[in-house]
Amino acid sequence: MAGEEETATTSSETTIATTPTWAVATVVFILILLSLFIEHLIDLLSKYFNKKGRKPLIQALDKVKSELMLLGFVSLLLTVSEKSIANICIPKNVGETFRPCSDPSNEGEEEAKCLEQGKVSLLSRQGVRELQYLLFVLAFFHSLSCVLTFGLGMAKMRSWKSWEAETRTFEYRFSNDPRRFQLIHQTSFARRHLRSWSEHRFLLWPKCFFRQFYASVPKVDYLTLRHGFITAHFSEGSNFDFQKYIKRALEKDFGVVVGISLWIWIFSMLFIFFNAHGFYNYLWLPFFPLLMLLVVGTKLQGIITRMCLDSQDRSHVVRGAFLVRPSDDFFWFGRPKLLLHIMHFILFQNSFQLAFFTWTWFEFGFRSCFHRRTEDIVIRLVMGILVQFLCGYVTLPLYALVTQMGTSMKKTVFPETVLEGLDRWRDNARRNVTLKNNYVRSRPSLDASLDSSLDGSRSIGTSLSFSHHPSYSVTSEQAPESEYLAADMTTKDEERENRTSSESEIELQMRGSFKGFD
């Protein structure tokens, strides 16, 4: 009996009521210090981005903080409802389906209550705690994955800075002089993309698939797409810094990638569901992000080749540099932004798989029922690292370049200072339009009151006087002439505004049109 009592005492968990107060205070103090330290680091990073004028990165950092707050709130809800969830009992035959492990342990008080009813608990209290750990690991891996991807992409795009500087040299301008003519097949861009396999779909896509693994963004593609973008949206020969524009656009897109939307969470729940033993998920689930990433890279390479074919169909002679036509028709469903959402899904699923692997390793050991085979461990680690590298160093720079070739350009074409000035100008213009509309709306009542006053003065036979000074007096005989002059001036002003607005509309249409093939 004494042995049984001793075993029961040692097996029971120590509560906070029997824990020394200094131990509780020490643990809480350390957690508070750690939280304040992380908050201070985030604040310093935000100040650094603000000092450098990187407003999109500040917005991305705010999204990271909001996602961390969301996961913390979910963890708090799990903690509060831990006992309530464990008290939910389900039939035993239902609880034995879709298990990753076949040897569950029911040792808690709530699980014992369900066993007395011939049922099992929906989720034990230990399972709730382990789920909380998974949420924290997922938040860490998702943030780390986004930062690594963005860093690899920026490292790859640093080589484009020298290509951008080359466009300002005399040799580049001489070789791309608009007065020089050459056949389209004589250009380096056409020699790269116009081959025997370019016009056959079954040969084109395999070639684009393998092309993303070597020289995915060569110098000739960058310069040609840059020239097409500037010609479509600016004047030919402009000194627009295309490389800085791509970096600003990528920073803006980074804010989208960091966030986690509802449909992303839904697919994550499906990933957890397919981790059951009977699905053999290690044979196909780790390959899913890689397959989607390769499809996106193949599509991006195919868009460049299709732009080259489109230019060949329009003209066989090149004036100056090779010219491509930006258009949304080259993208899936005419939406270049769709590729960004697909890459967002790929990054999150890859980080989720790595987080899930790390969590099971930490909670259940390296050799557990989650990883029964050695090839399971090797496949998950290799696929996770490979997708992370390909997405950051290969596909992301290619995406940043090709998606600028849509029909419309992004707001990031202007620096932040210019955008702020344009926003102030827009607010002032809206305010002026509102005041003008209010004046036009109230003008008929003013005219009516003025006419009634003139009629009354005409009937009495006296003159209206707006001042005691004789030079400011207006008689009834002068009123029709002044009204005629005012109407004539109003008509001229309206004609001048209509003529100016029509000329501005024609100028905007000429600027917005693509005149490269005229």
Side-chain angles (χ1 to χ4, degrees):
M1 293 293 294
E4 293 178 359
E5 291 179 359
E6 184 179 357
T7 304
T9 304
T10 54
S11 61
S12 61
E13 295 182 356
T14 303
T15 63
I16 198 171
T18 57
T19 305
T21 55
W22 63 265
V24 177
T26 302
V27 172
V28 172
F29 180 71
I30 292 174
L31 291 177
I32 291 175
L33 282 182
L34 184 61
S35 301
L36 291 176
F37 176 73
I38 295 175
E39 183 183 6
H40 184 63
L41 286 181
I42 295 176
D43 186 57
L44 289 178
L45 193 60
S46 179
K47 289 181 180 179
Y48 173 78
F49 289 151
N50 192 18
K51 182 180 178 181
K52 295 293 183 180
R54 313 290 284 272
K55 189 175 179 180
L57 292 182
I58 297 176
Q59 296 174 354
L61 190 62
D62 292 337
K63 278 197 173 183
V64 171
K65 290 192 290 186
S66 64
E67 295 300 331
L68 291 176
M69 185 179 68
L70 174 63
L71 292 175
F73 185 71
V74 173
S75 177
L76 178 62
L77 289 178
L78 286 174
T79 303
V80 172
S81 58
E82 177 181 322
K83 187 174 182 180
S84 301
I85 295 175
N87 281 325
I88 300 176
C89 301
I90 59 175
K92 194 171 184 180
N93 56 350
V94 177
E96 292 177 353
T97 58
F98 299 100
R99 285 178 174 176
C101 302
S102 58
D103 51 347
S105 58
N106 296 320
E107 299 176 355
E109 179 182 354
E110 291 77 15
E111 292 80 355
K113 291 180 180 179
C114 292
L115 287 177
E116 292 176 359
Q117 303 175 13
K119 298 180 179 180
V120 293
S121 179
L122 177 64
L123 184 62
S124 64
R125 302 184 74 169
Q126 180 64 25
V128 172
R129 298 190 192 102
E130 292 169 353
L131 188 58
Q132 289 177 334
Y133 299 150
L134 175 61
L135 292 176
F136 283 113
V137 174
L138 174 61
F140 172 76
F141 268 85
H142 178 58
S143 303
L144 180 62
S145 175
C146 291
V147 171
L148 288 177
T149 303
F150 184 75
L152 289 172
M154 286 297 181
K156 178 66 176 293
M157 287 190 290
R158 283 197 185 97
S159 60
W160 300 356
K161 192 173 182 180
S162 59
W163 299 346
E164 186 69 30
E166 184 180 340
T167 59
R168 294 172 174 79
T169 59
F170 176 77
E171 291 79 6
Y172 176 82
R173 296 184 178 182
F174 176 76
S175 59
N176 297 279
D177 194 339
R179 294 171 293 182
R180 298 182 61 183
F181 293 87
Q182 56 183 334
L183 295 175
I184 192 171
H185 288 282
Q186 294 176 348
T187 61
S188 56
F189 184 74
R191 287 196 300 267
R192 172 176 169 82
H193 294 280
L194 296 181
R195 300 290 184 89
S196 58
W197 43 265
S198 300
E199 299 182 359
H200 300 281
R201 179 177 300 180
F202 296 103
L203 298 177
L204 171 63
W205 294 113
K207 181 65 177 179
C208 293
F209 174 80
F210 290 105
R211 175 168 282 176
Q212 59 183 319
F213 297 107
Y214 61 95
S216 59
V217 184
K219 179 180 176 181
V220 61
D221 287 0
Y222 173 83
L223 295 178
T224 304
L225 298 185
R226 174 189 180 276
H227 178 65
F229 177 85
I230 293 178
T231 306
H233 303 294
F234 301 93
S235 60
E236 188 174 358
S238 174
N239 289 329
F240 177 72
D241 198 328
F242 187 60
Q243 194 255 353
K244 284 187 177 180
Y245 162 66
I246 290 180
K247 289 178 64 176
R248 291 196 298 268
L250 187 60
E251 289 176 359
K252 188 72 176 178
D253 294 338
F254 180 67
V256 178
V257 175
V258 170
I260 306 176
S261 57
L262 177 61
W263 68 279
I264 295 286
W265 282 115
I266 292 174
F267 278 99
S268 302
M269 299 307 102
L270 291 176
F271 171 80
I272 295 177
F273 174 78
F274 284 114
N275 265 279
H277 175 57
F279 289 110
Y280 299 98
N281 59 350
Y282 69 94
L283 295 177
W284 57 277
L285 200 55
F287 297 94
F288 194 64
L290 178 63
L291 180 62
M292 293 186 64
L293 185 65
L294 295 178
V295 170
V296 171
T298 303
K299 176 62 178 178
L300 292 172
Q301 292 288 347
I303 288 173
I304 301 177
T305 305
R306 286 183 58 193
M307 286 191 292
C308 185
L309 292 172
D310 180 71
S311 301
Q312 183 192 23
D313 295 337
R314 292 174 177 271
S315 176
H316 293 281
V317 178
V318 176
R319 181 175 63 89
F322 193 99
L323 192 61
V324 293
R325 178 180 62 93
S327 176
D328 290 344
D329 298 334
F330 298 120
F331 297 88
W332 282 322
F333 307 105
R335 296 179 58 192
K337 203 75 173 179
L338 180 62
L339 293 172
L340 176 64
H341 296 295
I342 295 176
M343 293 189 64
H344 181 198
F345 173 78
I346 292 170
L347 280 175
F348 185 80
Q349 290 303 314
N350 186 64
S351 61
F352 191 92
Q353 293 195 37
L354 289 175
F356 194 84
F357 175 80
T358 306
W359 170 71
T360 53
W361 185 1
F362 176 77
E363 285 291 329
F364 307 100
F366 191 71
R367 289 286 186 179
S368 64
C369 55
F370 287 92
H371 313 292
R372 294 180 176 87
R373 300 175 179 270
T374 304
E375 51 267 28
D376 181 9
I377 301 173
V378 174
I379 289 174
R380 290 183 185 276
L381 288 177
V382 172
M383 289 298 103
I385 297 174
L386 182 62
V387 169
Q388 185 68 48
F389 177 79
L390 286 178
C391 187
Y393 199 73
V394 178
T395 310
L396 184 64
L398 183 62
Y399 158 82
L401 176 64
V402 176
T403 50
Q404 311 309 321
M405 304 307 294
T407 303
S408 58
M409 59 182 178
K410 303 177 181 178
K411 290 195 306 181
T412 49
V413 70
F414 301 108
E416 289 297 329
T417 54
V418 178
L419 284 176
E420 292 175 359
L422 290 175
D423 290 338
R424 288 194 298 268
W425 173 83
R426 181 186 60 186
D427 296 337
N428 293 331
R430 286 178 176 176
R431 192 180 303 110
N432 293 333
V433 170
T434 304
L435 293 175
K436 184 178 180 181
N437 292 336
N438 294 334
Y439 172 73
V440 172
R441 199 177 296 112
S442 61
R443 186 173 178 177
S445 61
L446 294 175
D447 292 341
S449 63
L450 181 60
D451 291 340
S452 63
S453 300
L454 290 173
D455 292 340
S457 65
R458 191 179 294 112
S459 63
I460 297 173
T462 58
S463 62
L464 290 174
S465 179
F466 296 95
S467 176
H468 293 288
H469 197 278
S471 60
Y472 291 99
S473 62
V474 181
T475 63
S476 60
E477 289 82 4
Q478 293 173 342
E481 183 179 0
S482 61
E483 290 177 0
Y484 174 78
L485 291 175
D488 187 33
M489 292 175 64
T490 304
T491 306
K492 290 182 179 180
D493 291 339
E494 291 176 353
E495 290 177 356
R496 189 182 299 109
E497 289 177 358
N498 294 333
R499 185 167 60 253
T500 304
S501 61
S502 62
E503 290 176 358
S504 61
E505 288 177 359
I506 295 174
E507 184 178 359
L508 287 174
Q509 291 177 0
M510 292 180 61
R511 289 182 181 178
S513 61
F514 185 72
K515 303 180 292 182
F517 296 94
D518 291 346

